[in-house]
Amino acid sequence: MNVRTRTVHRALAGALTAAAMTAAALTAPAAAAGREAAAGGHDRHSATRSAMEAQVAAGIPGVLGQARDEHGTWRGSAGTGDRTTHRPRLAQDRFRIASVSKVFTSVVLLQLEAEGRISLDDTVEHRLPGVVRGNGHDGGKITVRQLLNHTSGIYNYTEDPGFQKLLGPGFLEHRFDDHTPEELVRTATAHAPYFRPGAGWHYSNTNYVLAGMIVEKVTGHSYATEIKRRIIRPLGLTATTLPGTAPELPNPHGRAYSTLLAEPAPNPKIYDVTELNPSWGGAAGEIISTAGDLNRFYGALVGGKLLPKAQQQALLTGVPVDDTMPGVRYGLGVYTAPLSCGVTVWMHTGGIHGSSTIASSTTDGRHTAAFNFNGDWTGDLGALIEAEYCGKAPAGQSALVKPQKTTTLATLR
């Protein structure tokens, strides 16, 4: 579930530091279908296409993308969806979106606020008595809003050293383990908080696990049920699912690959990690979707079609995430960031075993773009966003994101 190492980058990109890997056998020309700019056959997405091909050249097995704007829908792919059969990545392929899931949970809580059933200023203790306590954590001083914008200070369970071992070196042994929200919160509260509530910003998957628990407490239904009822069905997101503990990806899909390494290594072994139990992500990152569904969702989300005006304003009211990155702010489950060409976009990324995703939209909801890598050890999602919205691919690592040295598997960023 990424622009400083281990903070902003984790939420602005699901990609990791570049790894040395020969990609010649995996590289293929980008395939695309869709509506291009009219006159002269000019390809408005040539920079995006080039940026996608560059990711494959850098070692990503396959890249999938889609963009929608006033000219129509463009679809593109590069590389392969299966390193064994060399099946290409398909526009309708499903993949794990990890932390892009967070705003689905946030929208449910914002809709509940609009219905008068909850307030963003309610405390966690009020909604979940006794759940956030111990080692300096006090749910009576943390609000729902602070959960959603990551200013709660609650420790991130995926940073727990024991948990990182389960999801990194121990993944193959533990990939099908079940995890409950209560267990994840206990892992978090075994550590001291990062800061007192409201005194800082730190990305924490624990915040959204708690948000999902609050949805269930308020509605009497699981967060998954409420997401389906309030978002997936009304928007017709027919390829978007919440698998719970089910390890399979629904068809059609390619394969997902990981080196299971926290640091780059020469010629690392690559594992097929397509099947896994996503319960360790829960409301913070379990959703499976497609590029098309993500574009439809982000267009509705940022375009104001899911929330009343007051809640939409709350969604898009961001807090600074890093004083070295002026303009980068985190709202309630979405980031905003200015690009090199002056365009401002709302976005989120997600990183989980074998899958790195970014979904984005301009501030009016009219130009959306979503991309996915089926590998987690290299890549630059920010370069794709710069290429799509600014019409140019960065010469090197994009200014929007910088590499991190940590296991993407255990971040859900």
Side-chain angles (χ1 to χ4, degrees):
M1 47 215 179
N2 275 334
V3 183
R4 188 176 60 182
T5 299
R6 299 190 65 84
T7 52
V8 180
H9 171 68
R10 288 180 173 180
L12 290 182
L16 294 185
T17 49
M21 173 183 175
T22 301
L26 302 179
T27 305
R35 194 170 165 188
E36 309 292 357
H42 175 63
D43 182 354
R44 295 177 299 102
H45 299 277
S46 60
T48 308
R49 198 189 311 274
S50 295
M52 293 171 71
E53 291 172 340
Q55 306 311 309
V56 176
I60 289 294
V63 184
L64 184 63
Q66 185 188 111
R68 292 182 181 180
D69 59 19
E70 68 274 16
H71 300 285
T73 300
W74 175 88
R75 302 173 182 87
S77 68
T80 184
D82 190 315
R83 299 176 70 242
T84 300
T85 68
H86 303 291
R87 165 199 186 279
R89 299 207 70 184
L90 306 176
Q92 63 270 34
D93 273 354
R94 302 183 187 194
F95 47 83
R96 301 185 191 278
I97 69 171
S99 282
V100 181
S101 306
K102 284 181 170 63
V103 75
F104 286 80
T105 303
S106 179
V107 166
V108 171
L109 284 172
L110 287 165
Q111 289 185 354
L112 289 171
E113 185 189 54
E115 295 163 9
R117 302 172 67 181
I118 193 173
S119 168
L120 292 180
D121 297 320
D122 287 345
T123 66
V124 175
E125 178 66 19
H126 173 60
R127 293 298 174 179
L128 299 172
V131 173
V132 179
R133 289 182 183 172
N135 292 304
H137 289 287
D138 182 355
K141 297 179 180 179
I142 299 167
T143 66
V144 174
R145 190 190 311 270
Q146 289 169 336
L147 294 180
L148 299 181
N149 66 14
H150 295 301
T151 61
S152 71
I154 298 174
Y155 185 86
N156 181 6
Y157 67 88
T158 59
E159 294 181 12
D160 173 77
F163 207 86
Q164 288 201 347
K165 288 179 182 178
L166 289 178
L167 298 176
F171 170 75
L172 297 178
E173 180 183 355
H174 295 281
R175 66 194 297 174
F176 301 120
D177 290 359
D178 285 347
H179 299 275
T180 66
E182 293 77 11
E183 170 204 339
L184 302 177
V185 173
R186 284 196 300 271
T187 298
T189 55
H191 298 264
Y194 299 113
F195 45 78
R196 61 180 175 79
W201 187 91
H202 191 102
Y203 193 95
S204 177
N205 291 301
T206 314
N207 289 325
Y208 276 78
V209 170
L210 288 163
M213 294 171 70
I214 291 172
V215 168
E216 183 168 355
K217 193 68 177 289
V218 172
T219 65
H221 306 127
S222 69
Y223 68 84
T225 296
E226 292 296 321
I227 287 173
K228 292 171 190 174
R229 183 174 75 84
R230 295 170 177 271
I231 303 172
I232 292 176
R233 290 171 190 158
L235 292 182
L237 307 181
T238 56
T240 300
T241 58
L242 290 96
T245 61
E248 300 84 7
L249 278 174
N251 286 321
H253 66 83
R255 309 303 295 177
Y257 299 101
S258 178
T259 61
L260 302 179
L261 295 176
E263 300 284 345
N267 302 311
K269 183 174 182 179
I270 298 172
Y271 300 89
D272 186 319
V273 294
T274 309
E275 285 78 36
L276 61 86
N277 181 334
S279 60
W280 66 271
E286 73 160 279
I287 293 178
I288 293 167
S289 192
T290 64
D293 271 13
L294 288 178
N295 276 316
R296 182 187 294 269
F297 171 59
Y298 256 68
L301 173 75
V302 183
K305 298 177 182 177
L306 289 172
L307 297 168
K309 185 176 180 179
Q311 283 70 38
Q312 184 74 2
Q313 182 178 357
L315 173 78
L316 302 180
T317 297
V319 296
V321 302
D322 189 298
D323 57 13
T324 68
M325 291 297 296
V328 179
R329 302 176 72 86
Y330 197 91
L332 304 186
V334 283
Y335 275 96
T336 185
L339 304 182
S340 63
C341 56
V343 173
T344 295
V345 294
W346 286 94
M347 68 180 82
H348 211 292
T349 60
I352 194 171
H353 301 78
S355 182
S356 297
T357 302
I358 192 165
S360 62
S361 175
T362 50
T363 55
D364 57 7
R366 294 179 180 177
H367 186 174
T368 60
F371 301 94
N372 176 261
F373 299 159
N374 63 349
D376 59 30
W377 60 89
T378 187
D380 184 357
L381 289 166
L384 301 180
I385 296 301
E386 285 279 350
E388 175 59 29
Y389 290 102
C390 296
K392 58 183 179 180
Q397 181 81 18
S398 70
L400 180 64
V401 294
K402 291 181 173 61
Q404 67 182 39
K405 293 184 178 180
T406 186
T407 309
T408 196
L409 318 178
T411 62
L412 262 180
R413 305 283 184 168

